[in-house]
Amino acid sequence: MNIIVELIEAGAYYKDAPIHDLNNALKGRGFEVVFASDAEDLMRIVENNARLCGVIIDWDTCPKDLCQRIHAFNDFLPVYAFSNSDDVTDASMEDLKFNVEFFEYGLSCAEDIALTISQKTQEYVDAITPPLTRALFRFVDQGKYTFCTPGHMSGTAFQRSPIGTIFYDFFGANTFKSDISVSVGELGSLLDHSGPHAEAEKFIAETFNAERSYIVTNGTSTANKIVGLYSAPSGSTIMIDRNCHKSLTHLMMMSNVTPIYLRPTRNAYGILGGIPRKEFMPETIAGRVEKTPNATWPVHAVVTNSTYDGLFYNTDFIKRTLDVKSIHFDSAWVPYTNFSPIYKGKCGMSGDAVPGKVIYETQSTHKLLAAFSQASMIHVKGEINEATFNEAFMMHTSTSPMYPIVASTETAAAMMRGNVGRRLIDESIERAIRFRKEVKRLHAETDSWFFDVWQPENIDEKACWELKPEDAWHGFKNIDGDHMFLDPIKVTLLTPGMNKDGTLSERGIPASIVSKYLDDRGIIVEKTGPYNLLFLFSMGIDNTKAMGLLRALCDFRRDYDRNLEVKRALPSLYAANPAFYEGMRIQELAQGIHALIREHNLPELMFKAFDVLPDMVMTPYAAFQKELVGEVEEVRIEEMIGKINANMILPYPPGVPLVMPGEMLTEESRPVLDFLLMLCEIGAHFPGFETDIHGAYRQPDGGYTVKVIRQG
């Protein structure tokens, strides 16, 4: 970070000579100086170069709002203003709030001013670098040698092997120098929450509006288990979102708790809806407790917020209404909610603490902020026993955490602080809305077909858009008002084939075909449903990538209308099974899959499959104990009715459990099996379109088996 942008009008010797000397002095200290032609050019440089460490301006001639504009963009960035000695006195109180250092034009001052700029640059770097990361950088710069395990010796062990040197060169020296041992006392301990680690977690808590935050280095799957293990003692009852992440099912398999499920809705598109308000009411909970064997009043609740498809809850309502000691919002996909006002009242850490309750929010820092994989956070509001909570934390945390992951978590928080963070999220929201409007424009302009967007009609307002009961666009039945809200950053595109009333058209283009087409062109879809595609417009998505996606969608429309052969349209699909796809065209493929979906009447099947839950015969924990001692057997998936499932069954997408361990499918819940069989049949008819089903095992003959509890 050594670039300085300068805006000084030339033409007067008393300015030119000192500035010329200063530029030479700055270059002598390793700075690169770039020049702006006017204030607008300067702002464009500031906005498009994150490596800038300062701005030099002429106070006399620059627009008076320039400092305010720089501050609004980056409130930490130093500004160096040169002025005649008489003119600086016109600075207002507002001007002096900004990060401005004043200098006079004068000869023989260049070295002193360059020294001051160097010092201010270091102050700027220190101001934006969070505490643990700063300590880690300092340790690496010192080049200390440790007598530790080979992986913690700055990469020297790798350099003793030919393949090791290739590996070392690929990742770079600092990666290995910062992968250090927990025995480095000056960096404190993640497990004890001491030293710079403690400062880092305090820094993160302040940034995310939490009372206490924890850094987790092996993902939100682990963060979820830590929270659940502490909050739900053995023998207790918990309420859990039926559309939970599988890590929470694993928690229930590890911990002897009785689950009562909060049952959400789902529309004909397969989009995961919210949990209706009535599910949170005391009378509903009382009825479920009465009907559930061994259940007591729940002590803890888990709600997925947002849903995979980008639906937020009115979390203020849930916090007020849900009568439990603690509420855990699994917010893995939305770590950015504290940095835009549109999410106020829609996330776990929003607002103040709730008297008498503990609110948790787990977030995957690596998903929609900038951090290494597995970087995650637990945020807490409310009173917990920190020593006991830390025991749960340590049960699931490695005693050798990877420091670069820890530092990347803290750095992600630092990126969100101040005007810079708010701007990054605002830009993501605005870019997503622009993309939505472009798709709608093309949809309106085309004379045959184009993709549509799952959203309200009017999206001019930058907001989380409410799913209103009277609106038809969302496709949910009997939805509550002021309860669910669509995140603009999560863009769901609709393919032809399903009408807005949930019925199927005679012709259609299943989204899985579009997904494979995009994948062959280097564009990865986040989630693919029957007739919908989900794209995340995170802050890593720029205009170039957005336009690239739009272009690829237009290319698909052209190639589909031209009815290209599968060999040309979907080369990777053809290469995997040329004998099957030889001579087949893309419209034939689309209609073949669409016909199977129509044959099974997917919309009706979808509603039925998620309307009735399987019977819970034993808890997930009890079922897993049976599996551990071998009291299980494999049966064909068609034979599941009347048998107790040993594992969760979870199709991707959307990646939420359909059948929990210990549950039994009955005739009443047969639509769940019919839905699974439809997924299997599509894969059996069309190679390459097999659904990944966790808990179902594909056999050489193409059929599937599942594990059930051995009975009798």
Side-chain angles (χ1 to χ4, degrees):
M1 183 171 284
N2 65 344
I3 303 173
I4 292 178
V5 59
E6 182 178 301
L7 177 57
I8 302 286
E9 291 186 9
Y13 178 80
Y14 79 92
K15 293 182 180 180
D16 291 353
I19 291 298
H20 180 268
D21 290 346
L22 175 61
N23 290 343
N24 288 335
L26 289 171
K27 289 175 183 176
R29 290 180 176 272
F31 288 96
E32 178 184 349
V33 182
V34 298
F35 303 95
S37 58
D38 55 31
E40 295 306 316
D41 186 36
L42 182 141
M43 285 307 303
R44 281 192 290 271
I45 295 172
V46 169
E47 291 168 2
N48 291 288
N49 196 328
R51 296 186 182 275
L52 281 179
C53 63
V55 177
I56 297 174
I57 64 171
D58 186 311
W59 184 259
D60 308 336
T61 60
C62 281
K64 292 305 178 186
D65 68 342
L66 183 58
C67 288
Q68 183 178 352
R69 292 173 65 188
I70 294 170
H71 180 86
F73 186 82
N74 182 349
D75 41 342
F76 296 101
L77 187 64
V79 177
Y80 307 104
F82 280 81
S83 174
N84 291 318
S85 58
D86 294 336
D87 293 334
V88 75
T89 56
D90 68 354
S92 66
M93 288 293 292
E94 188 66 26
D95 295 327
L96 297 175
K97 288 181 182 178
F98 304 135
N99 193 15
V100 183
E101 186 81 11
F102 288 96
F103 298 114
E104 292 184 27
Y105 292 108
L107 297 174
S108 305
C109 299
E111 288 298 333
D112 290 340
I113 295 173
L115 175 61
T116 299
I117 290 176
S118 295
Q119 293 168 341
K120 292 293 181 183
T121 298
Q122 188 57 52
E123 291 175 12
Y124 170 58
V125 171
D126 288 344
I128 63 174
T129 306
L132 174 74
T133 304
R134 190 184 311 125
L136 185 61
F137 288 175
R138 187 179 300 121
F139 177 85
V140 169
D141 288 342
Q142 289 171 347
K144 292 184 178 180
Y145 189 82
T146 60
F147 283 83
C148 298
T149 56
H152 292 152
M153 294 173 64
S154 301
T156 54
F158 287 98
Q159 295 178 75
R160 298 180 67 85
S161 155
I163 181 57
T165 60
I166 294 171
F167 188 82
Y168 178 91
D169 292 342
F170 178 84
F171 284 101
N174 281 342
T175 300
F176 297 94
K177 290 178 181 179
S178 60
D179 181 20
I180 61 179
S181 169
V182 292
S183 59
V184 179
E186 62 204 74
L187 288 174
S189 167
L190 179 66
L191 301 181
D192 295 337
H193 312 283
S194 60
H197 282 88
E199 295 176 42
E201 291 184 328
K202 181 180 178 183
F203 178 90
I204 289 170
E206 292 172 351
T207 304
F208 287 85
N209 195 37
E211 293 177 358
R212 182 75 171 85
S213 290
Y214 294 83
I215 297 170
V216 181
T217 57
N218 36 350
T220 302
S221 294
T222 293
N224 288 343
K225 292 168 192 160
I226 292 169
V227 172
L229 187 64
Y230 171 80
S231 302
S234 179
S236 64
T237 298
I238 65 172
M239 300 198 73
I240 189 161
D241 190 340
R242 183 68 185 194
N243 280 347
C244 66
H245 186 260
K246 68 178 183 179
S247 60
L248 291 155
T249 305
H250 284 143
L251 166 69
M252 293 187 289
M253 294 168 70
M254 296 164 62
S255 188
N256 186 17
V257 296
T258 299
I260 293 175
Y261 295 107
L262 295 160
R263 293 165 55 180
T265 55
R266 183 177 292 228
N267 67 12
Y269 285 111
I271 293 173
L272 305 177
I275 301 164
R277 284 192 168 206
K278 66 180 182 180
E279 293 283 305
F280 301 106
M281 298 299 185
E283 54 270 24
T284 303
I285 299 172
R288 299 275 168 79
V289 169
E290 185 179 348
K291 292 178 181 178
T292 305
N294 303 317
T296 57
W297 193 266
V299 298
H300 180 63
V302 185
V303 177
T304 307
N305 186 58
S306 80
T307 67
Y308 204 149
D309 299 284
L311 295 182
F312 282 105
Y313 290 95
N314 176 343
T315 53
D316 289 346
F317 167 80
I318 296 174
K319 293 174 189 177
R320 290 192 312 267
T321 306
L322 198 47
D323 185 15
V324 290
K325 293 178 181 177
S326 57
I327 303 172
H328 169 199
F329 292 101
D330 178 5
S331 300
W333 289 91
V334 288
Y336 49 81
T337 49
N338 194 49
F339 310 105
S340 172
I342 73 169
Y343 302 110
K344 184 178 180 181
K346 301 175 182 68
C347 53
M349 291 299 105
S350 181
D352 298 326
V354 181
K357 292 181 184 177
V358 181
I359 306 298
Y360 300 98
E361 189 166 33
T362 52
Q363 297 176 341
S364 292
T365 322
H366 65 96
K367 282 193 168 74
L368 278 113
L369 297 182
F372 286 135
S373 290
Q374 300 188 59
S376 181
M377 299 175 288
I378 301 171
H379 305 302
V380 186
K381 273 187 178 171
E383 293 186 14
I384 60 171
N385 184 316
E386 293 195 9
T388 306
F389 188 93
N390 199 51
E391 288 298 319
F393 178 87
M394 290 192 292
M395 286 180 195
H396 291 282
T397 303
S398 170
T399 53
S400 299
M402 190 173 185
Y403 280 54
I405 296 178
V406 180
S408 78
T409 310
E410 181 194 45
T411 297
M415 290 175 64
M416 291 295 100
R417 286 171 77 94
N419 294 337
V420 174
R422 288 187 288 273
R423 171 180 54 80
L424 287 171
I425 300 306
D426 279 348
E427 287 177 352
S428 294
I429 296 168
E430 290 166 2
R431 191 173 296 116
I433 292 175
R434 286 198 301 272
F435 179 82
R436 289 169 175 273
K437 289 182 175 180
E438 281 298 298
V439 175
K440 291 296 286 186
R441 180 183 62 82
L442 291 171
H443 179 79
E445 288 179 0
T446 50
D447 54 3
S448 54
W449 70 273
F450 195 66
F451 302 92
D452 205 350
V453 192
W454 188 68
Q455 64 185 27
E457 290 300 319
N458 182 11
I459 61 165
D460 290 332
E461 181 185 3
K462 188 166 68 175
C464 285
W465 303 302
E466 181 185 352
L467 277 65
K468 298 179 180 179
E470 64 269 21
D471 290 345
W473 67 268
H474 50 72
F476 293 108
K477 300 177 180 179
N478 304 317
I479 199 167
D480 298 303
D482 190 30
H483 186 54
M484 299 299 299
F485 303 84
L486 175 61
D487 186 355
I489 285 177
K490 295 192 173 183
V491 180
T492 297
L493 298 185
L494 306 177
T495 64
M498 186 171 288
N499 303 314
K500 289 188 177 181
D501 61 1
T503 59
L504 290 167
S505 307
E506 290 212 10
R507 298 184 63 81
I509 305 175
S512 53
I513 296 173
V514 185
S515 185
K516 289 184 182 297
Y517 181 94
L518 294 175
D519 189 86
D520 277 349
R521 286 145 186 86
I523 298 172
I524 308 300
V525 179
E526 176 54 43
K527 186 187 76 129
T528 305
Y531 295 93
N532 56 84
L533 304 156
L534 176 66
F535 299 90
L536 307 182
F537 272 68
S538 68
M539 62 186 186
I541 302 298
D542 56 22
N543 286 328
T544 301
K545 291 179 180 177
M547 292 307 296
L549 171 57
L550 202 61
R551 173 62 185 270
L553 294 172
C554 292
D555 288 346
F556 178 85
R557 175 181 180 270
R558 178 202 62 205
D559 290 347
Y560 180 85
D561 287 348
R562 292 165 60 198
N563 200 16
L564 290 187
E565 287 188 341
V566 169
K567 180 191 292 189
R568 290 179 58 195
L570 303 167
S572 64
L573 181 69
Y574 175 84
N577 201 318
F580 183 85
Y581 288 109
E582 183 64 46
M584 184 181 292
R585 294 186 176 272
I586 192 169
Q587 290 185 17
E588 179 187 350
L589 172 62
Q591 285 310 115
I593 298 177
H594 182 67
L596 274 177
I597 293 173
R598 277 173 55 88
E599 179 184 327
H600 287 274
N601 195 0
L602 175 66
E604 184 179 349
L605 183 61
M606 192 85 70
F607 284 123
K608 287 182 178 178
F610 296 95
D611 188 47
V612 179
L613 296 183
D615 291 354
M616 186 173 74
V617 179
M618 60 179 69
T619 65
Y621 173 84
F624 188 55
Q625 295 304 306
K626 292 282 188 182
E627 182 169 1
L628 288 176
V629 296
E631 294 183 17
V632 295
E633 59 184 350
E634 285 193 40
V635 300
R636 304 287 290 192
I637 195 169
E638 298 90 340
E639 301 167 3
M640 283 179 64
I641 300 293
K643 296 181 174 63
I644 305 169
N645 211 64
N647 289 327
M648 74 177 105
I649 297 181
L650 179 149
Y652 289 95
V656 296
L658 265 179
V659 185
M660 294 287 190
E663 289 185 338
M664 175 192 291
L665 291 181
T666 63
E667 286 302 325
E668 187 181 11
S669 52
R670 179 176 283 276
V672 175
L673 176 58
D674 293 339
F675 179 70
L676 289 169
L677 292 176
M678 181 198 71
L679 298 178
C680 296
E681 186 176 348
I682 291 172
H685 278 75
F686 295 95
F689 289 90
E690 298 84 3
T691 299
D692 179 13
I693 306 175
H694 177 112
Y697 309 98
R698 196 159 193 262
Q699 302 302 317
D701 65 359
Y704 286 82
T705 60
V706 296
K707 287 185 180 181
V708 298
I709 305 297
R710 186 182 296 124
Q711 296 173 310

